[in-house]
């Protein structure tokens, strides 16, 4: 791993990058163009009657349960610049930025984030306007409202939340790891914001709202952008979710890193090969947008966001196939810590890819197992469903 003075993407910038409009994300367009998000959930519920492997009523309920805190916190805490709840009287007078950065990182880890780092806010990463998807979930603004972060909020604390390896291996069947990570994001970003506010400083907790999380995480040195359009971290690969807190608390920024992702992705195309919707490009980098869901001016592999989202609708639940098949998605154990020394130095990439395939990494697991939730007596239960109302004493 190399520390950099500038993020690894800067050498691929061809034009001035413009701020992105949240109304153009795949999710926001999907909410406007055919209410696709609701349709996806409806298809997911209908799947439970078909007894499809990995899409049973138990699979559905695990995913829905894991999402519970996320749905609550988004409606009450996310994207809100609230005053402190209790201490409205005192403020830490002269916080030392070096000590505060350590305290904030310790606090973030203590409340449950897996990785944490700080970056100075780059205004280019802030959305221009609210999109419908984030409006629906947070109720914090109206669609099209302009987005401005208070100018004194110069620091962004970026947190990484690992997703369960065994759950992700089930994808594109229903998995609970994504939902649980969204709940961890909500818990960590909201709790850390409360901590900062009670010290007398301002904080705005966010998941996907207000700005692009991936470039902020890259700036903070938490990883690099991959071909699949996701952040690749050193410890967990792309098997993560990102939350962030904007703040005026004085902090020291971390430096960006090079872990070898750029060169590796030029040779590996596994995500493009396995993507069920052909949303990921297998060719060379381009700075041209595929459609309005991509920004221009950066040489990368623009994702066909609507292909991806339409497949989710058809599938009846989200998809993590590009995360599952990515060779950076490995358990963070001694063996894989050792092997990643080589891609970090652009060594033996073809051999690593070959071994990865031979050992069956990235293959879909049988969708009946749930890692730590797996229990033979549970996996054998009859999951035939009946329509509600066909029995007495039902809710
Ligand atoms: S989530 Fe699934 S459909 Fe979307 S880009 Fe990844 S692999 Fe393709
Ligand atoms: S699957 Fe391969 S090409 Fe795709 S993001 Fe991962 S390393 Fe890069």
């Amino acid at each position: 791993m190399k520390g950099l003075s500038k993020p690894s993407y800067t050498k691929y910038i061809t034009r001035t990058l413009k701020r992105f409009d949240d109304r153009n994300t795949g999710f926001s367009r999907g909410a406007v163009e055919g209410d696709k998000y609701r349709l996806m959930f409806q298809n997911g519920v209908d799947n439970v009657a078909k007894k499809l492997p990995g899409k049973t009523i138990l699979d559905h309920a695990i995913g829905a349960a894991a999402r519970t805190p996320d749905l609550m916190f988004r409606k009450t805490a996310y994207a809100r610049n609230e005053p402190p709840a209790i201490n409205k009287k005192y403020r830490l007078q002269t916080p030392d930025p070096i000590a505060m950065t350590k305290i904030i990182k310790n606090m973030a880890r203590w409340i449950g984030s897996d990785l944490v780092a700080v970056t100075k806010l780059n205004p280019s990463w802030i959305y221009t306007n609210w999109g419908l998807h984030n409006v629906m979930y947070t109720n914090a603004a109206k669609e099209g409202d302009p987005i401005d972060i208070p100018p004194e909020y110069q620091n962004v604390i970026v947190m990484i939340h690992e997703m369960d390896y065994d759950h992700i291996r089930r994808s594109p069947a229903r998995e609970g790891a994504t939902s649980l990570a969204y709940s961890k994001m909500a818990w960590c970003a909201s709790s850390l914001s409360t901590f900062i506010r009670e010290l007398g400083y301002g904080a705005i907790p966010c998941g996907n709202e207000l700005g692009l999380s991936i470039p902020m995480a890259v700036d903070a040195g938490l990883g690099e952008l991959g071909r699949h359009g996701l952040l690749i971290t050193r410890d967990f690969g792309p098997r993560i979710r990102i939350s962030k807190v904007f703040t005026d608390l004085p902090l020291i920024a971390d430096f960006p890193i090079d872990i070898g992702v750029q060169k590796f992705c030029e040779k590996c195309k596994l995500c493009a090969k396995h993507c069920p919707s052909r949303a990921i490009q297998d060719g060379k980098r381009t700075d041209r947008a595929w459609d309005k869901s991509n920004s221009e001016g950066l040489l990368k592999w623009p994702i066909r966001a609507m292909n991806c989202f339409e497949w989710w609708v058809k599938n009846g639940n989200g998809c993590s196939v590009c995360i599952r098949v990515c060779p950076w998605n490995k358990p963070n154990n001694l063996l894989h810590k050792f092997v990643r020394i080589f891609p970090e130095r652009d060594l033996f990439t073809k051999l690593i890819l070959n071994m990865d395939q031979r050992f069956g990494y990235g293959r879909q697991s049988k969708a009946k197992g749930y890692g730590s939730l797996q229990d033979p007596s549970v996996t054998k239960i009859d999951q035939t469903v009946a329509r509600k109302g066909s029995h007495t004493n039902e809710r």
Side-chain angles (χ1 to χ4, degrees), residues 226-228 232 264-265 268-271 325-328:
R227 180 186 285 269
H228 45 28
I232 296 182
F264 197 90
C265 283
C268 166
K269 301 175 180 177
L270 283 172
C271 52
V325 301
C326 181
W328 294 84

Side-chain angles (χ1 to χ4, degrees), residues 70 74 78 113-117 119 156-163 178 181-186 188-189 205-209 211-220 222-225 229-233 237-245 323:
D70 170 47
R74 278 206 226 188
Y78 265 180
S113 80
D114 294 296
L115 300 171
V116 55
T119 183
V156 193
I157 304 158
V158 188
M159 286 176 280
I160 297 295
H161 311 277
E162 184 192 4
M163 297 192 286
T178 303
Y182 266 95
S183 288
K184 288 183 191 169
M185 287 161 59
C188 290
C206 292
N208 299 337
E209 304 75 18
L212 296 161
S213 299
I214 294 172
M216 291 186 215
V218 174
D219 291 353
L222 288 164
E224 292 184 75
L225 177 70
L230 304 172
L231 179 76
I232 296 182
T233 62
R239 188 171 39 82
I240 52 103
R241 251 40 210 199
I242 308 168
S243 67
K244 55 198 187 264
V245 175
I323 297 175

Side-chain angles (χ1 to χ4, degrees), residues 279-328:
I280 304 172
Q281 319 239 355
D282 64 359
K284 292 200 166 153
R285 295 169 186 271
T286 172
D287 60 352
R288 307 277 294 273
W290 172 258
D291 65 12
K292 64 180 178 181
S293 290
N294 312 122
S295 47
E296 294 191 317
L298 181 71
L299 287 165
K300 57 177 182 177
W301 298 278
I303 301 298
R304 295 169 182 147
M306 295 315 284
N307 282 31
C308 170
F309 195 28
E310 271 155 25
W311 153 252
W312 287 28
V313 174
K314 200 168 134 202
N315 192 36
N317 54 263
C319 166
S320 300
V321 169
C322 46
I323 297 175
R324 165 167 65 81
V325 301
C326 181
W328 294 84

Side-chain angles (χ1 to χ4, degrees), residues 113-392:
S113 80
D114 294 296
L115 300 171
V116 55
V118 175
T119 183
K120 293 288 160 202
L121 175 63
N122 179 344
S124 306
W125 307 140
I126 300 301
Y127 291 135
T128 56
N129 300 80
W130 277 84
L132 186 55
H133 178 73
N134 281 327
V135 166
M136 278 167 25
Y137 274 92
T138 62
N139 215 11
K142 293 196 182 66
E143 192 200 8
D145 279 356
I147 296 178
D148 288 304
I149 303 295
E152 64 276 20
Y153 285 39
Q154 284 297 307
N155 291 318
V156 193
I157 304 158
V158 188
M159 286 176 280
I160 297 295
H161 311 277
E162 184 192 4
M163 297 192 286
D164 185 285
Y165 183 75
D166 289 321
H167 276 245
I168 292 298
R169 286 181 66 210
R170 295 167 52 97
S171 190
R174 189 97 209 229
E175 47 83 11
T178 303
S179 296
L180 192 60
Y182 266 95
S183 288
K184 288 183 191 169
M185 287 161 59
W187 163 262
C188 290
S190 306
S191 304
L192 194 64
S193 295
T194 301
F195 177 68
I196 294 168
R197 289 169 186 162
E198 295 298 323
L199 293 175
Y201 288 81
I204 307 175
C206 292
N208 299 337
E209 304 75 18
L210 302 186
L212 296 161
S213 299
I214 294 172
M216 291 186 215
V218 174
D219 291 353
L222 288 164
E224 292 184 75
L225 177 70
R227 180 186 285 269
H228 45 28
L230 304 172
L231 179 76
I232 296 182
T233 62
R234 192 166 183 246
D235 292 352
F236 314 114
R239 188 171 39 82
I240 52 103
R241 251 40 210 199
I242 308 168
S243 67
K244 55 198 187 264
V245 175
F246 299 100
T247 182
D248 60 350
L249 184 68
L251 297 170
I252 305 290
D254 289 280
F255 51 79
I257 53 170
D258 175 357
I259 54 171
V261 165
Q262 303 313 313
K263 286 191 176 147
F264 197 90
C265 283
E266 280 164 11
K267 294 170 197 151
C268 166
K269 301 175 180 177
L270 283 172
C271 52
K273 181 177 163 197
H274 291 281
C275 170
S277 72
R278 311 291 302 151
I280 304 172
Q281 319 239 355
D282 64 359
K284 292 200 166 153
R285 295 169 186 271
T286 172
D287 60 352
R288 307 277 294 273
W290 172 258
D291 65 12
K292 64 180 178 181
S293 290
N294 312 122
S295 47
E296 294 191 317
L298 181 71
L299 287 165
K300 57 177 182 177
W301 298 278
I303 301 298
R304 295 169 182 147
M306 295 315 284
N307 282 31
C308 170
F309 195 28
E310 271 155 25
W311 153 252
W312 287 28
V313 174
K314 200 168 134 202
N315 192 36
N317 54 263
C319 166
S320 300
V321 169
C322 46
I323 297 175
R324 165 167 65 81
V325 301
C326 181
W328 294 84
N329 166 33
K330 293 285 186 304
N332 189 27
N333 58 25
L334 263 183
L335 170 69
H336 298 300
K337 280 181 188 179
F338 171 72
V339 173
R340 69 187 176 217
I341 291 172
F342 301 106
E344 280 179 11
R345 288 160 179 76
D346 194 24
L347 294 171
F348 311 126
T349 305
K350 283 204 171 145
L351 179 67
I352 289 168
L353 285 170
N354 197 298
M355 300 297 278
D356 208 74
Q357 299 297 286
R358 273 175 191 265
F359 288 138
Y361 284 115
R363 245 180 245 159
Q364 187 186 16
S365 65
K366 285 190 182 158
K368 63 183 181 185
Y370 259 116
S372 55
L373 280 179
Q374 189 170 13
D375 179 324
S377 65
V378 170
T379 52
K380 281 185 189 143
I381 68 164
D382 179 5
Q383 295 200 55
T384 306
V385 296
R387 268 194 178 274
K388 282 194 169 186
S390 58
H391 290 85
T392 51

